[in-house]
Amino acid sequence: VGGGFTCFSFGIYSPSPLIITLGAPGIEDNSNTNAGEVTTTAMPGLVPSNTMKEVLFAQFSSETWAKHHSSPFPVVLRGTPIGPCISEWANPDSLKTGGADLTVAVHVARRTGNILLDFVHKNFDFRHVPFSSLVDHCWHSEEGTSSSSSDAETWYFRSVGANMKTESSNFYRDFSRLAKSFVLPAEVQSTVLNPSTHHQSCFRINQRGMRLWPHYDVMDNILVNVVGSKKVVLFPPTQYANLYMNGSSSPVLDVCAPDLAKYPRALEALKFAQVVTLQPGDMLVLPALWVHSITAETACISINLFYKRLTMLKPRQVGTSGSGNAPITAYDDPFD
């Protein structure tokens, strides 16, 4: 409800915007509120993530992978055995040794309050830096020891092909030394690394506090968290209009506290939001077309593998971008 309203039925006046819910405990502590009474939550902090529906999760096994890897809904498989990378990559010195002599392209954004990367309005630049500098920046930020210049910037790394517009990322080729310690279970490999369906493998490193813009991917993928923790908020494809999608990206950057003056329909989208915080060894199975926004709660590392499920996606023309993103208009909508 917009600010400056008076409700005579309930005897409420507020000069600022509020959310009013009837008998919906969870947005605030309603332990002393009877069902049917009115509770209010002021903005910002619109919908705390602990009131959202949690993503379905299960312990990883051959059976749970077979059951969930082709589901139309996201699921987290916890305790996935992925080799010694969890302990090795948690050590910055070991990580830098594995990526020695490599130069990488990072997204660089100036910090302005919340650390939000905006793909629609392009509030970042690309910078080529030594891999060791990327690790130092992210882990010094984690420890609070960044220099004043680097502290004013947010860095986000997502590996790309040599020609990012036409060539897919290949973690196993470009980071071969590190790839030796990242070992997926055989049943996962047979699905996501099968030459007939595999699209790309991306290496991701985020510094603490980085928020990635909401977007969807046009291929099924798994996001395997190796180091640190990250919060993922997801929306089903039915919420594109309420998230004001521009191509495959949304301008509603802070999905937990959207600017309702600019994006009033986002309030409806939040009713369908799901959330999960990924820890090391967690694998998020993410179906194509689900919108997702990611916040790095610590410095974190993950591997993201994209694979084509042709029963799901029917391109109207051959090929897709190297990143695995494309406007939905380039595809037959499987949700029609």
Side-chain angles (χ1 to χ4, degrees), residues 174-203:
D174 298 335
F175 297 87
S176 57
R177 282 171 291 188
L178 290 170
K180 292 176 182 177
S181 61
F182 177 74
V183 185
L184 288 170
E187 53 269 62
V188 178
Q189 291 188 41
S190 66
T191 301
V192 303
L193 296 179
N194 186 315
S196 65
T197 58
H198 178 69
H199 175 61
Q200 66 173 325
S201 50
C202 300
F203 190 27

Side-chain angles (χ1 to χ4, degrees), residues 1-3 5 12-20 39-43 46 260 267:
V1 179
F5 72 89
I12 296 173
Y13 164 75
S14 175
S16 59
L18 295 173
I19 298 175
I20 298 179
T39 61
T40 63
T41 298
M43 295 176 280
L46 185 61
L260 293 183
L267 187 60

Side-chain angles (χ1 to χ4, degrees), residues 86-97:
I86 290 179
S87 59
E88 291 182 6
W89 297 1
N91 182 330
D93 291 332
S94 174
L95 187 63
K96 287 190 290 186
T97 298

Side-chain angles (χ1 to χ4, degrees), residues 200-219:
Q200 66 173 325
S201 50
C202 300
F203 190 27
R204 299 183 186 269
I205 300 180
N206 319 125
Q207 73 179 84
R208 180 179 60 183
M210 186 283 304
R211 294 186 184 183
L212 188 63
W213 62 86
H215 66 283
Y216 65 75
D217 305 309
V218 298
M219 295 182 183

Side-chain angles (χ1 to χ4, degrees), residues 111-125:
R111 292 197 186 189
T112 53
N114 288 341
I115 309 170
L116 304 171
L117 292 182
D118 180 354
F119 186 80
V120 174
H121 298 103
K122 301 293 193 298
N123 69 338
F124 55 85
D125 296 313

Side-chain angles (χ1 to χ4, degrees), residues 6-304:
T6 300
C7 177
F8 295 101
S9 297
F10 292 109
I12 296 173
Y13 164 75
S14 175
S16 59
L18 295 173
I19 298 175
I20 298 179
T21 63
L22 297 176
I27 292 183
E28 283 192 336
D29 181 3
N30 295 314
S31 56
N32 297 319
T33 302
N34 295 322
E37 291 185 357
V38 176
T39 61
T40 63
T41 298
M43 295 176 280
L46 185 61
V47 177
S49 58
N50 62 5
T51 69
M52 295 179 183
K53 177 182 177 181
E54 288 195 17
V55 174
L56 176 70
F57 68 88
Q59 194 69 16
F60 177 85
S61 67
S62 297
E63 292 74 20
T64 55
W65 169 253
K67 178 180 179 181
H68 294 293
H69 82 266
S70 59
S71 169
F73 303 101
V75 63
V76 173
L77 299 181
R78 301 198 185 280
T80 306
I82 54 175
C85 54
I86 290 179
S87 59
E88 291 182 6
W89 297 1
N91 182 330
D93 291 332
S94 174
L95 187 63
K96 287 190 290 186
T97 298
D101 305 324
L102 295 176
T103 298
V104 294
V106 299
H107 297 70
V108 177
R110 301 291 296 179
R111 292 197 186 189
T112 53
N114 288 341
I115 309 170
L116 304 171
L117 292 182
D118 180 354
F119 186 80
V120 174
H121 298 103
K122 301 293 193 298
N123 69 338
F124 55 85
D125 296 313
F126 286 100
R127 183 183 302 167
H128 287 85
V129 301
F131 182 78
S132 59
S133 297
L134 167 66
V135 175
D136 285 340
H137 178 93
C138 292
W139 264 259
H140 289 172
S141 175
E142 178 78 4
E143 298 163 359
T145 58
S146 297
S147 66
S148 58
S149 60
S150 64
D151 201 36
E153 295 179 343
T154 298
W155 288 15
Y156 161 60
F157 170 63
R158 183 254 197 231
S159 63
V160 295
N163 185 328
M164 63 181 299
K165 292 186 179 296
T166 60
E167 185 178 341
S168 299
S169 173
N170 188 328
F171 164 71
Y172 295 93
R173 177 195 64 204
D174 298 335
F175 297 87
S176 57
R177 282 171 291 188
L178 290 170
K180 292 176 182 177
S181 61
F182 177 74
V183 185
L184 288 170
E187 53 269 62
V188 178
Q189 291 188 41
S190 66
T191 301
V192 303
L193 296 179
N194 186 315
S196 65
T197 58
H198 178 69
H199 175 61
Q200 66 173 325
S201 50
C202 300
F203 190 27
R204 299 183 186 269
I205 300 180
N206 319 125
Q207 73 179 84
R208 180 179 60 183
M210 186 283 304
R211 294 186 184 183
L212 188 63
W213 62 86
H215 66 283
Y216 65 75
D217 305 309
V218 298
M219 295 182 183
D220 290 347
N221 61 93
I222 58 171
L223 180 64
V224 185
N225 203 50
V226 180
V227 174
S229 63
K230 57 176 60 176
K231 182 176 72 176
V232 187
V233 180
L234 305 103
F235 300 86
T238 56
Q239 297 309 301
Y240 288 170
N242 291 329
L243 291 170
Y244 300 82
M245 298 303 291
N246 183 332
S248 62
S249 298
S250 168
V252 186
L253 299 184
D254 191 344
V255 293
C256 293
D259 182 346
L260 293 183
K262 292 178 67 175
Y263 309 112
R265 294 197 306 273
L267 187 60
E268 179 67 17
L270 285 167
K271 298 177 183 178
F272 300 88
Q274 298 186 30
V275 65
V276 64
T277 297
L278 300 177
Q279 303 294 344
D282 286 350
M283 177 170 64
L284 172 62
V285 182
L286 182 56
L289 311 180
W290 277 68
V291 178
H292 48 286
S293 174
I294 296 175
T295 301
E297 297 188 337
T298 67
C300 52
I301 304 173
S302 57
I303 303 295
N304 198 185

